[in-house]
Amino acid sequence: MGEEPLYLEPRLEEPLRSLLESPGLLHTLTNALGSPLNVLLPDRIAANVERFRSVYRAHHLSGQVWFAHKASGSRALLRRLAATDAGVDVASLTELQHALGAGFTPDRIVATGPKNPPFLWLAARTSVTVAVDSRAELEHLVSLVRGHALSRARILLRLSGFESTGVRVLSRRSRFGSPVANVGPLLDEVERYGDAVELVGVAYHLDTTGLDEKAVALEGCLRVLEECRGRGLRPAAVDVGGGFGVSYVDEREQWERYTTALTDAVLGTRPPLTWGGHGYGLRNEGGTLRGTLGLYPAHRPVAGAGYLDELLSRPAASFGGRPLAALLLEHLYDLHAEPGRALVDQCGVTVAKVLEVRADDAGAQLLVRLAAKADDVALEDHGVLVDPVVVPRDPAGGRAGDGPVAVHLAGSLCLETDLITRRTVFLPRRPEPGDLLAFANTAGYCMDFRATRAQQQPAARKVAAWQEGGSWQWCLDDEYWPTVPVGGTQ
Amino acid sequence: MAMVSGRRVLADRTRGGNAVRYDSITEAIGNTPLVRIDPAVHGLEHIDLYAKLELFNPFGSVKDRAAWNMARPHLAAAVEHGSTVVELSSGNTAKALAVLAGMHGLRFKSVTNRMRVPEIKDLLLLLGAEIEELPGQSECLDPAATDDPLTLFHRTLSEPGGDYLHTDQYFNPHNVEAHLTGTGPEIVKDLDGRAPDWFVAGVGTAGSSTGIARALRETDPAVRVLGLVAAKSDFIPGIRTIDEVHEVGLFDPGTYDAIEAVSADEAIEGMLTLNRRCGILAGPTGGAAYQGAVRRLGALDAELTERQSAVFVVCDRVESYIGYVRERRPDLFGRPPRRNSPADLSDAEVRAAPAIGVADAQAWIATGRPLVVDLRSTFAYAALHIDGSVNIVDEVFEELLRGGLPFSRSRPVLLACPVGEKSARYAALLTRMGHPEVRSLTGGIVAWRDAGAPLVRD
Ligand SMILES: Cc1ncc(COP(=O)(O)O)c(C=O)c1O
Ligand SMILES: Cc1ncc(COP(=O)(O)O)c(C=O)c1O
């Protein structure tokens, strides 16, 4: 290989790191259960909850951490979470049923997103908190409560369209939530429907990595809560939604070197780094770089609980520059957060078997065909670029010509577009048929969110794995309960 | 230099030259001094190093020239249509355009990815600019989406009904021209008709470096040009990083003999040298240019046998970057310790602070009539508080105590904060200052509420 390899090595923390250092187990599992295979690490989700909790404690805030269920359909993760003190945010009827069945009591469930009638009915019937998405949904909920003689529903009002003072902080338009500019009439209704609903707080969720936008929204929520109190309502909480992010690539330098090289490749000053010269949103117009890099910032210095901490530490201009956390505390509000991706950080891996390795026509790069479809490993679909880890079939077997290789990773469909990634991936050594490629950190959105059964290929099986007395144990995802591990509460 | 009704106005300050009386502030743009840096400071033995002091421009920076040159041809039409001037800028170009727009009765809107220097943001608002910050990247990314913020920005510009004067500094040849006909020839003139051997500048829009380099090469094609950018993960306000520079339409790699990266630390170090030792109140990019020049030239100096000269550009002044520098170099702002500060209490003192639980506090308020001081923000206090309490926000309280005890010793005091942590500190401090009867409300207002004790709103 003529050029310096451009690695994007994954950030691996325990217990994911140990799992990837157990090739015997991973090969046994894929031999038995097929490729691709998703392995979940339920104990890690509990550790992640604790990280969020410690940020709450540092700011003396109370309130709930709700796991945004949509990020992962794993039963093991949800059941393990049920054994902690966290809550769950459900966005569909099935997710609500799953949460109830996993052991979450209604006080630990919040229903978010736009809701269809059965979802809204089951939420009201079981007295879970409902984050009301629109005025129409509020009216619908009220009619369900009155019509079915249900008990008063606890509601959060999801708001959107927050405006800042001074500098205008622009946000992408959201299809969800009620515009904060019209909150007056909405609160009139809440007061009018006092027999059917009880306002417990307000909520937002912004799909952005921008802290400034979220700070503007949180500050806006505080102002709305004051208006509620002024009306004699007794709201107690702000729900700041999700979007805390995950850092996938371990080293900043690798990410920076890679993106610089990608820029150079698009400008033609170095050989292409992608299949067919794809630019991930960048293009070359007469020597000037145009477009925007459509990639998730794969290395993030601040993500997850640390990101929440930064948000809470931001000053609120309309409240005399006090930090947001201090304002929440002083106003006696609870803080709710709905991390999805961030709460399943390091909680899973997708492994796929190498079927074939061959030189491409030019002979410079290798084509590696995997027993998995692109939608089974949806990292690229979410704009996440990160290297797989090679798990050799024969760890002891040294071989000739060891050294870095540049490869393209193809899926198992007979479709030109079925590429696991359009990126040229650099691996520390040539993989061989029978080896596994392990795609780390896929539990959030990249396992089951987009997986299909195209060409009647089966969807990946899921297993849960944990360590007990120094060795790995596993069971099917469906079979996992917090009582299964010997160390668990039996 | 400015051309005013066909008459050349030279503000040749350094040589005590021509007219310095103007009819408009815009005539004061350009003709900035070229100042030699004392060799005892830079230590180069064979090279004369000069600073082109663009900080002398009336709105404060090198961008005054570009802003004026880009806007001037379109101002009359803009006034006629009542257009809004818009630019993608988070700094000096915005500042200059805000002033120019204001002088012509036009609105100015600055759109930016991140307005990261708070002093500049506030100054722009003060000058009447509107600032719009573009949204951050989507967290749940759809790689096929085409609605990236910059595309949206350009779409708004072309929307029907919108009337904009978009100066487009990253692509506008008038940006380069301002320096090709102004800054560059001024340097040659001040060097007695010769171009320097080296020219060093930070690269933002590349306008100044491209224009100056071209002018210098017209005099002497052998001029070597060093462009400086920020290291990739670093931030030096006003110049781009090594990747971002490729997004600039005016940027042509052929302009530069070398492009080198400077770290924020180096930029600040260079800035301090200029500020403290040369009397040049340069901002960080001036410091970056100085540091980059000395780093590069220092490597060559020993091998030189003949004298050479080098010019670097000082783009703007230090004052707007105090916050930026404080964040990176808090050591420069070390303040003397203060009297009566809660920060210098020992943990033991805080633990021993007199405290009282909610139930006892309620009884005490009824019988002992202590002054109840609520240390939370005015907003939280206004929303809900203990009946009869006084609100003194913690920051104000801290200031107050520096001068001594603000209460009579005969008046008992109950301090309340959100969870009883701050109030314990202040109770310990007041005790240390000699107050005989001060208590902290254990668990704070949160505990008070949780106990069901009454909170009121006035
Ligand atoms: C209402 C709501 N909350 C939370 C989340 C979770 O976001 P993330 O996985 O980025 O934390 C989402 C994601 O779409 C959402 O819509
Ligand atoms: C402080 C500062 N330094 C340097 C520059 C770079 O100048 P140019 O845009 O001409 O490359 C700028 C431009 O914005 C600036 O604001």
Side-chain angles (χ1 to χ4, degrees), chain A residues 68 70 89 112 158 205 241-244 338-341 445, chain B residues 139:
Chain A
K70 57 176 77 66
D89 147 17
T112 65
R158 174 153 171 194
H205 168 78
F244 301 96
E338 297 166 355
R341 191 194 294 264
Y445 299 109
Chain B
E139 174 62 41

Side-chain angles (χ1 to χ4, degrees), chain A residues 69-134:
Chain A
H69 190 352
K70 57 176 77 66
S72 167
S74 159
R75 297 198 183 265
L77 290 183
L78 208 69
R79 291 170 184 169
R80 180 64 187 86
L81 193 72
T84 72
D85 61 358
V88 60
D89 147 17
V90 295
S92 70
L93 178 66
T94 313
E95 285 187 1
L96 173 55
Q97 290 171 300
H98 186 201
L100 289 165
F104 288 89
T105 45
D107 56 315
R108 289 170 63 200
I109 303 177
V110 60
T112 65
K115 300 162 199 74
N116 61 16
F119 181 24
L120 198 56
W121 179 83
L122 187 61
R125 175 67 265 185
T126 52
S127 297
V128 310
T129 303
V130 178
V132 175
D133 199 58
S134 63

Side-chain angles (χ1 to χ4, degrees), chain B residues 16 27 33 43 67 76 86 95 102 124 151 166 235 287 323 348 364-365 395 411 450:
Chain B
E27 294 166 23
V86 289
K95 204 198 296 183
L124 285 174
T151 310
H166 177 207
F235 170 56
W364 190 36
I365 291 170
E395 296 151 11
R411 182 68 193 255
D450 292 348

Side-chain angles (χ1 to χ4, degrees), chain B residues 61-63 91-93 169 175 179 202-209 237-239 285 315-316 321:
Chain B
S61 85
V62 67
K63 307 304 300 197
N92 286 317
T93 308
Q169 60 168 340
N175 178 356
H179 302 285
V203 182
T205 65
S208 55
S209 42
I239 58 181
T285 60
C315 298
D316 67 354
Y321 302 100

